[in-house]
Amino acid sequence: MAPSPCSRSLHPTAGYGWATDLIRCFETDPRLTTEFGWSAIGVLNGDATPDVLRVAINHPEHGTRVIGARRLLIATGAYDLPIAFPGWTLPGVLTAGAAQTLVKAQKVAPVGDVVLAGAHPLLMLVADLLVRDGVPVREVAFAQSIPTPVDLLNALGAVPGHLRILAETGAILARLVRKGVRVSPRTVVTAAHGTERVSRIELARVDRRWKVTGTPREVAASHLVLGYGFSASTELARQIGCDLVFDSPRGGWVVAHDERLQTSVPGVFVAGEPTGVAGADQSRAEGALAGLGIAADLGRAVPPTLFAEAERGIRTATRFSTVVQRMFEPIREALGDLATRETTVCRCEMVTRGTLDDFLTSSPFVSNVNAVKLSCRTGMGPCQGRYCEGSVGTILAAARGQSIGLGGRFSAHLPVKPVPVGDLRALDAAPEPPAPGGPDIPRP
């Protein structure tokens, strides 16, 4: 068995000192039942008992089982925003989140020179992590311009309560420059070249809207780390039938909810990145409010002061997250232009940009991504569109001269994650009874 995360010492990132106490509280609360290693793969609708949600969960070794719940909180996080461009499927191309996990959790560092390209602050953290681990970082290419005085003035709302985070970011930039790492603004990756793996990275200058303006140049490297932002992980919410809205700065398609974070589906709540990619502070505050909302929905007596405190925490976190979202919003239209006709857009079904363009030209009345999916098989593979939905939506929007959100989103189906077919037999099993209700909610 792998060592428990609880056995390691905790070293939270600057500004998130609260994480240690939160994790310790979670580890020691006897009222909690944990199911590590299990993934939710869907919710079974149409149960004879409408007050019970039947949640299907799967484990790589123990198969699938169904559990019952009176309320469900979806807090499924986010994943790195996939960008399709020539060579993005080559071995050696990985996302910033993957690189960070490999180095920090798996203790595996890239071998050889590394180029990082993107538009999100995480790219700086990963570059610093690699440099401190002895990995030769050739260049960090940012799509954004150097902030103007007006940009800095508009960002002042993010300063209160986040000085340590901002100071750490500045220190990281200084360390990278001191180590000889080239940091290039207004630069995007246009291609990755190689035979069996990456050997050369193509970078180009762009204007303020990220349109390529100069002749691309090549940098020799064996790894390319991409960090253009994040997509909210909403597959489970889609499968259940929750309403979603398109909000590009907040991560694309995000889950709609009311003031207490209840979704359009009765008994289903949401918190964290599925409501909009906004960082750990806001996720913690939303988790607290959603927990209180669930308790109240179950008939527990929740003091109004607790709701007020949680709502205040969300407002404080939103001041910071809104600035970050505005400054680092990916310009999806420009990123969509990076794919050429030969570029694979859907990795699961091996669908190229040329196939999509030809279909859209021959079918001028198609204006929805699910129609493209049915005709071209994009999004029909094991990932259910996680890798290609953004690119397909952007290509469709460009072809029809409409905003990306008007093209809709891919549907999600059970199982929302790949599982062996044999594991699905257990979905006919009766659900476990919901946990009994607890006492009134005390003040922490």
Side-chain angles (χ1 to χ4, degrees), residues 279-306:
D281 264 339
Q282 190 155 329
S283 293
R284 176 186 62 150
E286 288 183 352
L289 180 58
L292 296 173
I294 289 172
D297 200 46
L298 288 170
R300 302 294 184 265
V302 180
T305 53
L306 291 185

Side-chain angles (χ1 to χ4, degrees), residues 84-86 190 336-345 352-354 357:
F85 57 88
T190 52
D337 288 342
L338 296 176
T340 64
R341 283 189 59 84
E342 294 74 26
T343 302
T344 297
V345 173
T352 64
R353 168 71 183 266
D357 287 342

Side-chain angles (χ1 to χ4, degrees), residues 70-417:
R70 287 179 295 168
R71 298 296 182 273
L72 175 65
L73 172 60
I74 298 176
T76 42
Y79 55 92
D80 293 80
L81 175 66
I83 303 298
F85 57 88
W88 76 298
T89 59
L90 280 171
V93 179
L94 64 162
T95 62
Q100 185 182 46
T101 300
L102 283 172
V103 175
K104 292 182 68 175
Q106 306 299 325
K107 308 302 180 185
V108 176
V111 176
D113 292 344
V114 177
V115 169
L116 296 94
H120 193 273
L122 178 63
L123 210 62
M124 299 288 288
L125 297 177
V126 174
D128 182 56
L129 184 67
L130 293 174
V131 168
R132 286 191 283 113
D133 214 49
V135 176
V137 175
R138 293 290 303 277
E139 186 169 344
V140 180
F142 271 100
Q144 289 95 342
S145 307
I146 296 174
T148 65
V150 174
D151 294 331
L152 296 176
L153 183 63
N154 291 334
L156 288 179
V159 174
H162 297 89
L163 282 174
R164 287 192 62 196
I165 297 176
L166 299 173
E168 184 182 68
T169 303
I172 287 173
L173 178 59
R175 279 198 300 271
L176 293 176
V177 173
R178 192 164 58 247
K179 291 287 187 178
V181 177
R182 178 175 179 175
V183 179
S184 305
R186 279 201 187 181
T187 303
V188 300
V189 58
T190 52
H193 299 289
T195 51
E196 296 184 354
R197 59 169 298 106
V198 172
S199 60
R200 294 170 291 121
I201 311 299
E202 193 177 278
L203 301 171
R205 291 280 294 174
V206 296
D207 61 18
R208 292 186 69 87
R209 295 300 300 170
W210 299 9
K211 294 292 185 180
V212 175
T213 59
T215 302
R217 58 183 172 85
E218 290 188 352
V219 180
S222 59
H223 288 84
L224 171 63
V225 177
L226 301 170
Y228 282 97
F230 295 92
S231 295
S233 184
T234 59
E235 295 78 21
L236 187 62
R238 298 184 194 203
Q239 185 269 322
I240 298 171
C242 300
D243 290 342
L244 274 73
V245 295
F246 186 80
D247 192 323
S248 181
R250 294 169 56 216
W253 288 102
V254 297
V255 183
H257 57 82
D258 65 14
E259 68 279 0
R260 291 190 176 176
L261 297 168
Q262 183 164 207
T263 71
S264 60
V265 177
V268 179
F269 291 70
V270 67
E273 314 295 31
T275 72
V277 180
D281 264 339
Q282 190 155 329
S283 293
R284 176 186 62 150
E286 288 183 352
L289 180 58
L292 296 173
I294 289 172
D297 200 46
L298 288 170
R300 302 294 184 265
V302 180
T305 53
L306 291 185
F307 276 117
E309 184 178 339
E311 291 164 353
R312 188 162 52 248
I314 291 178
R315 287 195 298 271
T316 300
T318 301
R319 285 198 296 269
F320 177 76
S321 64
T322 300
V323 171
V324 173
Q325 290 163 353
R326 183 177 66 244
M327 293 185 67
F328 299 100
E329 176 188 358
I331 302 181
R332 299 173 188 269
E333 295 81 3
L335 295 175
D337 288 342
L338 296 176
T340 64
R341 283 189 59 84
E342 294 74 26
T343 302
T344 297
V345 173
C346 175
R347 302 177 69 151
C348 297
E349 297 292 326
M350 300 300 292
V351 181
T352 64
R353 168 71 183 266
T355 299
L356 296 177
D357 287 342
D358 292 344
F359 168 72
L360 292 172
T361 299
S362 63
S363 308
F365 298 106
V366 169
S367 59
N368 184 278
V369 294
N370 276 309
V372 179
K373 174 182 179 179
L374 291 173
S375 299
C376 300
R377 297 195 59 82
T378 54
M380 286 193 177
C383 83
Q384 295 199 29
R386 290 176 181 86
Y387 279 102
C388 67
E389 181 185 67
S391 295
V392 173
T394 302
I395 292 169
L396 173 63
R400 298 295 179 254
Q402 64 186 27
S403 62
I404 297 174
L406 287 178
R409 52 182 174 79
F410 287 155
S411 302
H413 303 282
L414 186 151
V416 298
K417 294 184 177 181

